[in-house]
Amino acid sequence: MKINVFLPCRKSSTRIKNKNIRKFADINFGLLEIKLSQLLKAKLINKIYLSTNDKKIISFCKKLNNKRIIVHERIDKALSLDKTSNNQLVNHAINIMPDDHILWTHVTSPFVNEKIYDEIIRKYMRVLN
């Protein structure tokens, strides 16, 4: 069973400027860097589909040069607005990801680490069997 991650990461934030990539806890690319590191360390995650409209995020991910990270640049501006609905993002995820199991997470949960992701996935797999 393949578990792929959908990681939405839009450019603008109404409350905290550059919240996804601003320096956090002495980590230069902040929450995004923390989350990608956690997801890449998780043993049960196959690929990470990062959906963004932020050129800085795209550039950062290219520099990582990791084949497990698939960056999808959001061309449709409707997917990156404050009023974008969860339904729109779910449909977007379904359209860009293969027919495997999807784990949806956010960079704004830095305390959910690789061990927790693997534990969640193991429990999910047990429920399916």
Side-chain angles (χ1 to χ4, degrees):
M1 171 187 314
K2 291 183 181 178
I3 304 289
N4 293 316
V5 170
F6 180 73
L7 186 63
C9 204
R10 74 182 172 104
K11 181 178 180 178
S12 58
S13 171
T14 53
R15 292 175 289 174
I16 301 170
K17 186 177 180 180
N18 297 319
K19 76 174 175 193
N20 296 323
I21 59 173
R22 73 185 303 170
K23 193 171 185 174
F24 180 82
D26 290 330
I27 297 171
N28 286 335
F29 248 78
L31 294 172
L32 174 66
E33 189 172 343
I34 291 167
K35 186 52 59 188
L36 285 175
S37 174
Q38 293 167 337
L39 293 170
L40 289 169
K41 288 178 191 171
K43 293 174 176 64
L44 300 175
I45 290 174
N46 187 45
K47 294 193 178 187
I48 302 157
Y49 288 79
L50 190 147
S51 174
T52 188
N53 63 326
D54 191 328
K55 301 286 186 193
K56 290 179 183 176
I57 290 174
I58 294 168
S59 177
F60 174 76
C61 289
K62 284 183 181 179
K63 288 178 187 171
L64 292 177
N65 196 29
N66 189 305
K67 292 182 181 187
R68 290 177 60 204
I69 301 172
I70 292 96
V71 178
H72 182 269
E73 184 175 2
R74 294 183 192 173
I75 304 300
D76 184 355
K77 292 180 182 180
L79 292 171
S80 300
L81 304 172
D82 285 339
K83 64 181 182 177
T84 302
S85 72
N86 283 335
N87 284 346
Q88 287 173 286
L89 284 177
V90 167
N91 286 331
H92 171 62
I94 291 169
N95 287 329
I96 67 169
M97 297 179 73
D99 293 332
D100 293 316
H101 299 265
I102 299 173
L103 186 156
W104 186 304
T105 193
H106 297 274
V107 300
T108 52
S109 56
F111 301 114
V112 180
N113 63 27
E114 61 274 7
K115 291 176 185 174
I116 295 170
Y117 284 117
D118 281 340
E119 181 182 336
I120 290 166
I121 293 167
R122 274 191 218 87
K123 287 181 180 180
Y124 174 73
M125 289 175 169
R126 280 196 299 267
V127 169
L128 291 180
N129 291 331

